[in-house]
Amino acid sequence: MKVVVIGAGVTGVTLAWELCQRGHDVTVIEALSESGLETSRANAAQRSYGAVYPWASPALMTLALRTLFSKRGAFKLALPPSPETIAFLLRTLKNAVTPGRFDANREAMLRLAEDSRLRFLELQDQLGEALVFDGEHEGVLELASTHQERERLGGDTAMLTRLGIEHELLDAEGVRRYEPALANDAPLAGGLRLSTDGTGDCHQFTQSLAAAAAAAGVTFRYNQAVTELGVENNRVTSVLLDSNERLSTDAVALCAGFASRVLARSVGLAAPIYPVKGYSMTLPLIDAQHGPRSTVLDDRYKVVCTRLGDRVRVSGFVELAGLDRHLPPARFEVLQQALHSRFPGATAGQVEQAWAGFRPMTPDGPPLLGASPDGRLPNLFFNTGHGTFGWTLSAGSAQWVARLMDGDALPDYVKGFQVGR
Ligand SMILES: Cc1cc2nc3c(=O)[nH]c(=O)nc-3n(C[C@H](O)[C@H](O)[C@H](O)COP(=O)(O)OP(=O)(O)OC[C@H]3O[C@@H](n4cnc5c(N)ncnc54)[C@H](O)[C@@H]3O)c2cc1C
């Protein structure tokens, strides 16, 4: 089957790989000059399979109210909020307060994450050194700076136990065994370690997988944007490029990150995805003894510090500001402070890359996977809206969507990601 994949971020490239392995004739259309240049560019670098949480949660609401007006606060809202932002927030709130929804979505995301972990390991086995991601499988550590936070983390583990996800609730001494460089003068009561999780540079992974896919026969067309989906008899039969070229196709997969919404809307479908801005800063590690060994989530600043080979990346903030690409220095000051407070001496402050990206967020949190709803355009497939966890969830999502495109039955839990839910 001839398939057009729209978007060469981590979700589009992993899907293109799966489809070509299944014998399809795949063309990836990418508006930018290379793969992985948009949100997959410089994220927090965690493959946090055991620490995936739906966006719409009671905790987000508390965080928003507590930190909205503080400089250090993780939640930011551009004022006055646009009608689109207000609509997204109201839908988020509705999902957050609907009884049972957070737990159901978390469970579905954890199952998808576990499938992603296993698929990632298979990809690594299959591709060997051709798959580059500058990361490890050394676990993810969620820090608790207070006893209350440690108790909260402990309360979160029942679902992990039930799903057989390896984890360890640690006291401060236990945390330091895994991350010995953590500063002694910063508050630490313990933490939760997800031992099978890992790290990695999503951009390098995406680029190296794209190179492998190209070598396996996938066509990549860069610097070309899809401007229209051509529909005939309730099927997408072509895509129109900004060069006015029209490519005929048997199926289309929408993997356009936060831009998926606009393309879906153009054919009358709703893909409610909002660009939730976040920031990262990557710095050369000057002394490995003083840096993180793996990836550490700091509950005080709500930032993530991740070791990437001889670099450290620190990342944070959820900002609702539409598609504002501005890089306010104040955000990076907070990231620097947060890194320094936990890992003093790891870096000299020299910044290799300061970046902002837009998480393609659905109002509940789980991605949109599968066919379009109600039998409308049955050959249009979605692999998008992965929000905070697109790097983590990419391998499993691609695997299931590729199988669905081949008409295979999927496990029940994947229904939690239905488009139009
Ligand atoms: C600050 C921050 C930290 C994060 N940390 C993590 C983390 O630690 N772990 C994790 O799992 N996830 C993390 N994420 C989320 C993760 O980065 C995203 O979920 C993921 O990169 C989304 O990938 P994507 O392929 O869907 O989108 P993108 O990477 O944005 O790719 C979409 C592509 O589609 C292209 N495109 C759009 N429209 C068109 C068109 N019309 N025609 C052709 N091409 C088009 C775009 O140019 C783009 O290249 C983080 C995100 C941010 C912002």
Side-chain angles (χ1 to χ4, degrees):
M1 161 166 88
K2 231 162 132 177
V3 185
V4 166
V5 173
I6 305 175
V10 70
T11 62
V13 171
T14 45
L15 180 60
W17 173 260
E18 295 288 346
L19 290 168
C20 90
Q21 296 298 292
R22 298 173 79 85
H24 296 294
D25 171 4
V26 185
T27 301
V28 180
I29 312 291
E30 169 53 55
L32 301 177
S33 59
E34 293 171 19
S35 58
L37 288 187
E38 191 56 80
T39 311
S40 305
R41 179 83 179 93
N43 64 31
Q46 304 181 84
R47 291 177 295 108
S48 55
Y49 305 113
V52 286
Y53 301 96
W55 157 256
S57 64
L60 174 76
M61 295 300 140
T62 317
L63 177 75
L65 293 173
R66 235 179 350 114
T67 72
L68 185 56
F69 298 107
S70 102
K71 177 188 168 195
R72 232 177 78 168
F75 188 89
K76 302 282 176 218
L77 177 66
L79 297 173
S82 66
E84 192 197 348
T85 304
I86 294 171
F88 178 73
L89 272 175
L90 289 176
R91 289 190 68 177
T92 297
L93 183 63
K94 188 171 164 214
N95 279 293
V97 300
T98 301
R101 185 153 300 168
F102 175 80
D103 282 344
N105 285 338
R106 181 174 173 222
E107 177 163 342
M109 288 172 77
L110 282 168
R111 288 182 188 275
L112 180 61
E114 178 60 8
D115 288 343
S116 293
R117 185 178 76 77
L118 298 174
R119 187 68 190 132
F120 186 92
L121 294 174
E122 284 170 3
L123 282 177
Q124 223 192 333
D125 272 356
Q126 187 183 358
L127 289 162
E129 289 188 354
L131 196 67
V132 181
F133 60 98
D134 208 5
E136 300 292 344
H137 303 280
E138 295 291 324
V140 160
L141 196 48
E142 294 185 62
L143 300 185
S145 52
T146 60
H147 290 288
Q148 193 190 8
E149 177 61 11
R150 184 173 180 274
E151 241 169 65
R152 195 197 63 74
L153 285 175
D156 258 6
T157 55
M159 191 180 286
L160 300 177
T161 306
R162 183 160 54 78
L163 297 179
I165 296 168
E166 275 182 36
H167 61 279
E168 230 182 320
L169 190 62
L170 302 163
D171 58 15
E173 200 184 315
V175 166
R176 287 185 200 286
R177 266 202 307 279
Y178 290 107
E179 289 291 351
L182 278 168
N184 282 318
D185 55 357
L188 184 64
L192 180 67
R193 181 167 186 266
L194 289 313
S195 45
T196 54
D197 290 7
T199 53
D201 185 321
C202 180
H203 178 237
Q204 289 181 357
F205 170 89
T206 305
Q207 293 220 326
S208 62
L209 188 60
V218 174
T219 303
F220 283 86
R221 299 189 55 169
Y222 293 111
N223 291 313
Q224 306 191 18
V226 172
T227 55
E228 190 183 296
L229 303 176
V231 175
E232 284 172 44
N233 301 324
N234 195 35
R235 293 184 74 78
V236 182
T237 52
S238 66
V239 296
L240 181 67
L241 307 185
D242 52 359
S243 57
N244 265 336
E245 184 184 354
R246 192 173 279 280
L247 300 182
S248 65
T249 186
D250 300 315
V252 169
L254 195 50
C255 309
F258 60 77
S260 300
R261 178 187 188 133
V262 180
L263 284 166
R265 195 192 290 144
S266 73
V267 288
L269 295 171
I273 294 172
Y274 184 94
V276 175
K277 192 176 184 184
Y279 298 82
S280 80
M281 207 166 63
T282 309
L283 305 98
L285 190 60
I286 54 162
D287 184 348
Q289 298 301 315
H290 288 109
R293 284 187 175 168
S294 187
T295 181
V296 171
L297 286 86
D298 187 340
D299 62 317
R300 288 176 315 152
Y301 285 86
K302 303 287 176 204
V303 306
V304 178
C305 303
T306 301
R307 169 79 167 270
L308 286 173
D310 55 7
R311 299 170 293 157
V312 180
R313 182 167 297 157
V314 51
S315 175
F317 293 106
V318 286
E319 183 164 321
L320 304 186
L323 267 180
D324 172 8
R325 290 191 186 263
H326 182 56
L327 299 177
R331 303 285 183 275
F332 296 98
E333 281 163 27
V334 173
L335 293 181
Q336 285 266 22
Q337 257 175 34
L339 174 65
H340 185 73
S341 76
R342 287 294 182 193
F343 295 102
T347 66
Q350 178 205 348
V351 179
E352 188 179 296
Q353 184 186 33
W355 177 83
F358 300 91
R359 305 171 181 91
M361 196 70 80
T362 58
D364 50 357
L368 305 174
L369 305 182
S372 52
D374 309 325
R376 294 232 18 238
L377 305 176
N379 65 337
L380 175 63
F381 296 88
F382 290 71
N383 180 27
T384 191
H386 290 73
T388 309
F389 300 107
W391 171 213
T392 303
L393 299 177
S394 55
S397 303
Q399 174 179 243
W400 290 132
V401 174
R403 288 194 183 184
L404 187 79
M405 290 174 81
D406 272 345
D408 294 358
L410 298 192
D412 255 9
Y413 86 79
V414 181
K415 290 192 187 120
F417 305 108
Q418 264 169 2
V419 184
R421 58 181 178 258

